[in-house]
Amino acid sequence: ARTERPTEWQARYNDIPRDFRTAEAKFKKPSPTDCLPIEWSEGLSYELEAGDFVEGVLTDGCLAVVYGDSAVGKSFWVINLGLHIAGGRRWYDRAIDQGVVIYVALEGGKLTKNRVRAAREAIDLPADIPFALATCSLDMRTSNADAIKLTNTIRAAMQKYTQQNIPVRMVVIDTMSRALNGGAEDAEDMGLLLKHADLVRHATGTAVLFVAHCGKDAAKGIRGWSGIRAAVDVEIEIAKNDADLPYIATITKERDLTSGARFGYTLKPVELGRSRRDRMVTTCIVEPAGEVKKPTSKTKLTDAHADFRDHVMEIIADQGRAIVPEAGMPTVTGVTRELLRQQLIKRGWFHQGQLSKDGKLRDASYGVENNALRALKRKRIIGFGPGFVWLIPK
């Protein structure tokens, strides 16, 4: 047995990946670069400052995404935000810590210059504010080459403004889909994009903000991989509202701050001049309309939705458990969507004509269920996502 033990352990040692064996060899004389940046318990102190360079919205080094349907002015709104940061101006009556902003326009090309200059003049900012525009291609998926190039660009900007003591606060990548460089909006390719965005953030301490599109069903959030919402620190949805206030940007997720703030705005066309073919060149600027309170619905539930509410409340009361539906959310009581669906079928809430022969819901019945869930969500009775339905604490 004694002669077999060394052979057995040697076999196990040979199975250890070479990188781990190299780490073991360095263990006797580790350097700081060989270790994680840990802090021991006795040295920990309270972090009383959130580092929010846009008060209550964006924090230093965060990963953020602004998304919405086409033609809602996403880029105009983000440009307006970026110019306020670069100019150190209050934004929606919120404090701003001035910083360099680098806007990488992967869509719009040179016409983005018109948007930036028109917005800067509308805000009445000086021409020499620390705002930089890059109209180029950017591949944040296939390799880390462009992520390193972006990191070097940020470091060059840091050096440029060292004497003025102005840090680089934010890099905007517009849009997320273009930064995928032809990749699919699935877990694998978007995971690589996030990996390279993290490389930039951790190497520079700069916030990275993506501009993205929503899918066909805006209620499902950012287009593509569902895990993107869990990965980001800040999520802002832009949607059309009504004629009096056409657009509203809503903070739908904050990892370290309070979410729910809503910023209203309109888009105002402005004339820039005439082209060589004597055609008027125009663009749009954002006119902020102040923060908007979330409307309280005074509409009563229909009889069908009230019946649905009673079933849902009973099912969660009987079979609910403590869950965290999405990263960054508090613990709530809820059930899985599949469990709720099966219980509703057993209770006969869905008409027989809405069920297939194997007892599963048809597509039309999914729509009926989603409409009922949305009705309860508007009344702040429940919350729901792709995987769970939960009670909203009073």
Side-chain angles (χ1 to χ4, degrees), residues 149-315:
K149 188 181 295 185
L150 181 56
T151 299
N152 290 336
T153 303
I154 294 170
R155 287 173 173 166
M158 288 176 175
Q159 292 179 351
K160 176 178 173 65
Y161 287 95
T162 297
Q163 292 185 349
Q164 293 96 318
N165 197 29
I166 301 176
V168 180
R169 295 289 186 189
M170 182 173 72
V171 170
V172 178
I173 300 176
D174 186 359
T175 62
M176 179 181 284
S177 60
R178 285 294 182 93
L180 282 169
N181 193 36
E185 293 176 325
D186 57 13
E188 181 178 357
D189 286 347
M190 294 189 82
L192 290 171
L193 177 140
L194 293 175
K195 169 188 173 183
H196 293 133
D198 286 343
L199 184 154
V200 174
R201 293 193 303 132
H202 296 315
T204 63
T206 300
V208 174
L209 184 150
F210 285 102
V211 180
H213 298 282
C214 62
K216 292 181 180 179
D217 184 355
K220 293 183 179 180
I222 304 165
R223 189 176 71 194
W225 178 43
S226 60
I228 190 73
R229 188 173 195 271
V232 301
D233 303 307
V234 182
E235 179 190 71
I236 301 175
E237 177 190 19
I238 294 183
K240 292 182 179 179
N241 186 47
D242 55 38
D244 294 332
L245 188 56
Y247 310 103
I248 291 181
T250 304
I251 300 178
T252 52
K253 178 186 175 182
E254 283 278 9
R255 194 179 300 278
D256 299 317
L257 304 170
T258 303
S259 64
R262 305 169 81 235
F263 308 100
Y265 66 94
T266 60
L267 291 176
K268 178 184 176 182
V270 293
E271 296 181 347
L272 306 179
R274 307 196 77 83
S275 70
R276 63 186 176 88
R277 292 191 170 87
D278 198 31
R279 299 186 65 177
M280 180 57 68
V281 178
T282 63
T283 188
C284 288
I285 59 171
V286 165
E287 290 194 331
E291 291 197 35
V292 185
K293 292 183 179 180
K294 188 171 183 178
T296 55
S297 175
K298 296 181 180 179
T299 305
K300 293 183 179 180
L301 292 173
T302 64
D303 291 342
H305 287 166
D307 180 54
F308 180 83
R309 174 202 59 200
D310 295 340
H311 284 302
V312 171
M313 299 287 281
E314 290 174 4
I315 293 168

Side-chain angles (χ1 to χ4, degrees), residues 62-137:
C62 70
L63 179 62
V65 62
V66 173
Y67 77 95
D69 205 350
S70 299
V72 295
K74 297 185 295 294
S75 298
F76 294 105
W77 190 81
V78 173
I79 287 171
N80 179 273
L81 167 62
L83 287 169
H84 278 80
I85 296 169
R89 291 280 183 87
R90 291 184 73 85
W91 177 80
Y92 284 95
D93 202 30
R94 290 178 178 241
I96 293 286
D97 294 332
Q98 186 183 25
V100 180
V101 174
I102 300 173
Y103 196 103
V104 184
L106 307 183
E107 293 184 3
K110 294 181 179 179
L111 292 180
T112 306
K113 294 180 181 180
N114 294 348
R115 298 179 177 185
V116 172
R117 178 162 178 174
R120 190 195 74 209
E121 292 175 351
I123 303 169
D124 194 24
L125 292 169
D128 61 348
I129 60 171
F131 185 101
L133 175 66
T135 54
C136 59
S137 61

Side-chain angles (χ1 to χ4, degrees), residues 329-340:
M329 285 188 61
T331 301
V332 291
T333 303
V335 294
T336 64
R337 289 286 296 269
E338 184 60 30
L339 173 62
L340 177 67

